[in-house]
Amino acid sequence: RWSHYHHPTNEPAHSMKMTKILCISVAAVVLASALFACKRKPSDGQTAVTVGAILPLTGDAAGYGTSLKKGMELAAAELEKQGNSTDTRLTVVFEDDRNVPQAGVTAFNKLTSVDHVPLVLGAMFSAVTLAIAPIAENQKVVLLSPTSSAIELTSAGDYIFRIYPSDSYDGQYLASFASDKLHAKRAALVTLQAASTTSISQLFKKLFAENGGTILLAEAYQEGTTDFRAILAKINEQKPDLVFLAGTLKETAVLLRQAKELGIKTTFLGISTLNDPKFLDLAGDAAEGVLFSSPMFDPESQTSVMTNFVAAYRAKYGQAPDILAGYGYDSVNIAAKAITQATKMGGATPDNIKTALYQIADYDGVTGKMSFDKNGDVTKELRIMTVAGGKFLPYR
């Protein structure tokens, strides 16, 4: 899953705060003076609402944040183009968290105290989202994360939502797949030392054992590790049926290249961090045969939802969308849907938006059909992908 980028990174020494406002109205949108108020435009009967977005737009993770931002901007532009066919026009105020929790908190406080937003899209990384969540809950402002997966967010509060599956959901799915589909009995675990990856690895370990499997060894490594040969030597000695990899794509690619050099032949099962074209470039032919979990995002799907998204994205940016763009796109559209419903309930207040989000069922997004459970966690279908011929393909 993409949300395993959320381990903290060091704050860039010379990063600059980026704040960009994307205005989606034909005319300028003016907020009412009351907190969380929205102004109905008499010319078209629409409701103009400002929401916030907190993403890493500078620093090491800026590339990921930019993909999310592109998807959000596309969705917002489409809402603008629809004109009178939609009830809501959004102004999205973007703030940069640099993948630094404190910067995320500062951005959130600015959005609520200056922009008076009823809803914030973000953050991308779980570490930042977890820092913001208690403040959002205390202030009763809706927080809707496009990609955070940390298990702790399940109990973060009534105003906290996400459209990316929880680590617990993914861990259960992968453990069941390993036992029921791969029929693995003996496994090794190699885990990045970060909150999210550690949580999913521990859950996989627990459920794999409950399914009758044996964990032969569990190894951990630090971000930035470039030599996995000692760990791989232990794996080679134990001869597991599969190796479960809970880490980011860069280190995972290094591990796989070194495993290939050492002639280690086993099944490698990873998390959806690997669902990134960069992984294929980094790992090369060492990625062949690797399995990993993934949401139901397929740019080649012929469903109208996907074909329209891909065509619009290509027209706007001149390239195919990645899964992060898909999550950015879905998050804005779900927010607009909830805000539209909230307006019909008496106003786009945080309480009404929260109630509307809980009522969303089987929303047909580009990242799959989505509903929210009682904890604000999304329920959506996952699948297993593999690398074959240098491409990502569904595993059969």
Side-chain angles (χ1 to χ4, degrees):
R1 78 212 334 33
W2 281 101
S3 192
H4 290 284
Y5 308 133
H6 50 245
H7 58 279
T9 60
N10 293 328
E11 182 172 355
H14 301 290
S15 62
M16 297 178 61
K17 182 180 180 68
M18 280 182 55
T19 303
K20 183 178 180 182
I21 299 178
L22 173 64
C23 293
I24 310 302
S25 303
V26 173
V29 175
V30 181
L31 292 180
S33 58
L35 188 63
F36 303 133
C38 57
K39 182 175 182 179
R40 181 168 293 279
K41 299 183 67 179
S43 61
D44 56 20
Q46 289 188 311
T47 298
V49 179
T50 297
V51 301
I54 299 175
L55 302 172
L57 300 176
T58 59
D60 293 342
Y64 303 129
T66 298
S67 286
L68 276 168
K69 184 171 181 282
K70 285 181 177 179
M72 290 180 179
E73 288 178 324
L74 175 60
E78 288 182 344
L79 288 171
E80 158 70 7
K81 188 176 181 180
Q82 288 169 11
N84 290 335
S85 66
T86 183
D87 294 332
T88 303
R89 289 183 177 181
L90 296 182
T91 296
V92 184
V93 180
F94 288 97
E95 294 288 337
D96 181 16
D97 64 32
R98 308 188 303 279
N99 193 17
V100 177
Q102 185 54 53
V105 169
T106 300
F108 181 84
N109 288 334
K110 181 265 182 184
L111 287 168
T112 55
S113 63
V114 176
D115 300 293
H116 304 307
V117 299
L119 177 147
V120 173
L121 300 167
M124 177 181 183
F125 298 112
S126 288
V128 181
T129 307
L130 285 168
I132 297 170
I135 304 171
E137 184 67 15
N138 183 60
Q139 294 185 13
K140 294 181 169 47
V141 173
V142 175
L143 185 66
L144 174 61
S145 174
T147 53
S148 296
S149 64
I151 293 173
E152 295 85 350
L153 286 172
T154 296
S155 57
D158 205 29
Y159 291 80
I160 313 304
F161 296 80
R162 53 176 154 187
I163 65 168
Y164 202 97
S166 165
D167 287 338
S168 61
Y169 189 80
D170 196 30
Q172 294 172 22
Y173 177 75
L174 287 167
S176 295
F177 173 78
S179 299
D180 300 340
K181 302 298 183 182
L182 296 180
H183 306 293
K185 298 297 183 182
R186 294 152 45 90
L189 276 60
V190 183
T191 308
L192 170 69
Q193 290 183 338
S196 61
T197 46
T198 297
S199 294
I200 194 171
S201 189
Q202 289 175 343
L203 184 59
F204 179 92
K205 179 179 179 180
K206 175 179 179 293
L207 296 177
F208 185 76
E210 289 179 357
N211 291 336
T214 300
I215 301 297
L216 300 177
L217 71 155
E219 298 288 331
Y221 64 90
Q222 297 285 343
E223 181 180 7
T225 296
T226 58
D227 189 350
F228 292 91
R229 291 177 180 83
I231 293 176
L232 290 168
K234 295 179 183 178
I235 291 172
N236 200 30
E237 181 180 349
Q238 294 287 336
K239 300 291 191 294
D241 299 326
L242 71 82
V243 178
F244 182 67
L245 304 173
T248 53
L249 60 90
K250 183 177 180 180
E251 288 85 5
T252 300
V254 173
L255 182 150
L256 291 171
R257 290 202 311 269
Q258 292 175 358
K260 181 177 177 63
E261 292 171 1
L262 295 172
I264 296 176
K265 299 184 182 300
T266 188
T267 299
F268 290 97
L269 177 64
I271 56 181
S272 64
T273 304
L274 307 186
N275 193 359
D276 184 337
K278 298 183 188 69
F279 172 65
L280 299 176
D281 295 333
L282 291 170
D285 59 3
E288 287 292 306
V290 172
L291 304 172
F292 58 90
S293 60
S294 172
M296 299 296 289
F297 178 80
D298 181 7
E300 297 184 3
S301 168
Q302 294 305 301
T303 63
S304 59
V305 171
M306 186 59 76
T307 57
N308 291 340
F309 169 61
V310 172
Y313 193 92
R314 283 188 177 278
K316 186 174 180 64
Y317 300 112
Q319 62 186 106
D322 61 16
I323 192 170
L324 286 176
Y327 271 100
Y329 184 80
D330 278 349
S331 65
V332 166
N333 281 320
I334 286 177
K337 181 178 178 66
I339 289 169
T340 295
Q341 183 59 31
T343 301
K344 296 175 182 178
M345 296 162 57
T349 65
D351 280 347
N352 286 344
I353 294 171
K354 176 193 70 173
T355 299
L357 282 171
Y358 279 120
Q359 293 174 351
I360 288 177
D362 295 326
Y363 175 83
D364 194 11
V366 298
T367 62
K369 289 187 180 295
M370 289 170 273
S371 303
F372 294 106
D373 68 14
K374 64 180 181 180
N375 298 309
D377 281 346
V378 74
T379 57
K380 65 197 312 179
E381 187 178 1
L382 298 177
R383 63 177 175 174
I384 296 295
M385 300 290 289
T386 189
V387 179
K391 297 180 179 180
F392 293 140
L393 298 175
Y395 175 77
R396 293 178 174 83

